[in-house]
Amino acid sequence: MSFIEKLDPEALAYFNDIASRPFAQQAVAFLNAYWPEVSDQAEFVFSVAWDRIKYADMHAKGIDLIFKYNEGVDLDFDIGLYFYEQLCKFCEDPKNKEWTAYTKSQPEMMTAIKRKQELREKVDVNFDGRISFLEYLLYQYKDVANPADFCKRSMAGGDEHPEIRKARLALEEATAAIKAFEAEKARLEEGAKLPGVKGLKFKNLLAQLHASPLWEALNKALITAEAAVRIASKKFGGGRGGSAGGEGGEATGPTEGAIWWMERDLKEKQEKYGRKK
């Protein structure tokens, strides 16, 4: 099956729907479809590619603080070039050498002119002049994936299972709580720079931030998310047991990528914001 095989109208509509979702949801759809082939690259997708595409989008939108950022869905060609440039720089940097072990994830080096041609002729599946994370992933792992096959696999899988949706939404609530906490922290840190009594007031508030209602709300959101992810993981065998339904015989599509992504996202949030034992 050719990588650039034309999609029929139904498949194109499905593809466009997935490509219009936030970057993380596009990654999950891709990982669900190709878990047997790319599960060994999932950490690179999460920690490197997802990170780089978010920062490219932030760069395009003039945002320099992550808590001010609402996750995007695609990049224009110029920012797509910037994304690839930053990804290549990351992979070439000696201090990131541990990521070279992910050989299937290494971006191919090419000139800006050649890259733009590739973006236009191959990466941009739906010819909308923009690059989604899904399009990047399909192109990067084209040895095992292509748009038509992705649509065939994913469309056969059905909708997102309610338990997985519940866990995903709980993680989104945790993300919102983290943003609120970080926004207040930044405000207080800025105020603490003021001279005299005003600055001292902000410093005192900053010292109490980890006992504030915002911190409590954040921890409550993390506990709720942990419970929801645990239930989803148990129901679907930790996301590694195949594509059939879990307890109760409910049928569902492949879930391995979704479960892995949620467990990984939760782990990162807990390591940074969870209560210290």
Side-chain angles (χ1 to χ4, degrees):
M1 192 177 287
S2 169
F3 181 80
I4 56 173
E5 178 183 342
K6 188 176 181 181
L7 300 178
D8 64 44
E10 184 183 9
L12 181 59
Y14 179 84
F15 186 92
N16 286 339
D17 175 52
I18 301 297
S20 66
R21 299 177 187 180
F23 295 135
Q25 291 184 43
Q26 295 178 44
V28 166
F30 174 81
L31 291 173
N32 276 340
Y34 290 102
W35 190 252
E37 294 90 348
V38 301
S39 59
D40 60 343
Q41 305 299 304
E43 185 61 40
F44 186 97
V45 174
F46 183 93
S47 296
V48 180
W50 185 40
D51 185 68
R52 293 299 91 193
I53 201 167
K54 285 186 293 182
Y55 276 98
D57 193 34
M58 289 172 65
H59 172 77
K61 295 172 178 174
I63 298 171
D64 57 356
L65 296 170
I66 191 69
F67 68 81
K68 293 183 177 181
Y69 174 63
N70 292 318
E71 191 166 327
V73 302
D74 58 22
L75 312 172
D76 66 30
F77 276 2
D78 287 337
I79 300 302
L81 285 173
Y82 175 81
F83 161 64
Y84 270 102
E85 176 184 294
Q86 295 303 308
L87 188 60
C88 289
K89 283 183 178 179
F90 178 92
C91 292
E92 289 179 322
D93 193 327
K95 72 174 182 284
N96 300 321
K97 63 182 180 181
E98 72 269 23
W99 295 104
T100 59
Y102 294 86
T103 53
K104 289 183 281 189
S105 297
Q106 300 305 300
E108 183 183 351
M109 308 301 173
M110 58 182 70
T111 65
I113 294 174
K114 176 65 174 174
R115 179 80 70 195
K116 201 158 192 175
Q117 182 182 358
E118 287 284 296
L119 292 179
R120 184 177 293 109
E121 296 179 0
K122 296 182 181 179
V123 184
D124 185 14
V125 173
N126 55 7
F127 304 108
D128 63 353
R130 303 187 67 80
I131 302 303
S132 65
F133 198 32
L134 175 59
E135 287 171 323
Y136 153 76
L137 291 168
L138 288 167
Y139 179 74
Q140 179 61 44
Y141 303 103
K142 57 184 178 292
D143 287 349
V144 297
N146 67 69
D149 183 55
F150 166 79
C151 290
K152 182 180 179 181
R153 292 187 185 201
S154 300
M155 291 169 73
D159 296 331
E160 182 180 45
H161 191 279
E163 293 291 358
I164 291 178
R165 183 181 300 111
K166 183 178 179 180
R168 174 173 61 79
L169 293 176
L171 282 166
E172 288 179 8
E173 288 295 321
T175 298
I178 288 169
K179 285 184 177 183
F181 176 82
E182 289 292 347
E184 179 64 2
K185 182 181 175 183
R187 186 185 75 85
L188 295 178
E189 286 175 340
E190 193 62 29
K193 298 175 184 177
L194 295 171
V197 176
K198 285 187 176 179
L200 285 174
K201 179 183 176 182
F202 280 103
K203 286 177 184 176
N204 288 334
L205 289 172
L206 188 60
Q208 298 169 36
L209 189 58
H210 281 81
S212 69
L214 279 174
W215 181 251
E216 291 303 315
L218 194 167
N219 275 276
K220 182 179 178 181
L222 281 178
I223 291 168
T224 301
E226 180 181 14
V229 171
R230 187 188 303 118
I231 290 169
S233 297
K234 182 179 179 183
K235 188 175 185 68
F236 298 103
R240 288 168 286 275
S243 60
E247 297 165 9
E250 298 171 61
T252 185
T255 60
E256 296 95 333
I259 296 297
W260 183 91
W261 191 276
M262 291 190 298
E263 289 177 339
R264 182 65 181 81
D265 188 24
L266 177 65
K267 179 184 177 183
E268 187 159 285
K269 285 175 166 60
Q270 288 177 323
E271 286 177 349
K272 191 168 184 181
Y273 297 100
R275 293 186 186 277
K276 307 302 180 188
K277 295 180 180 179

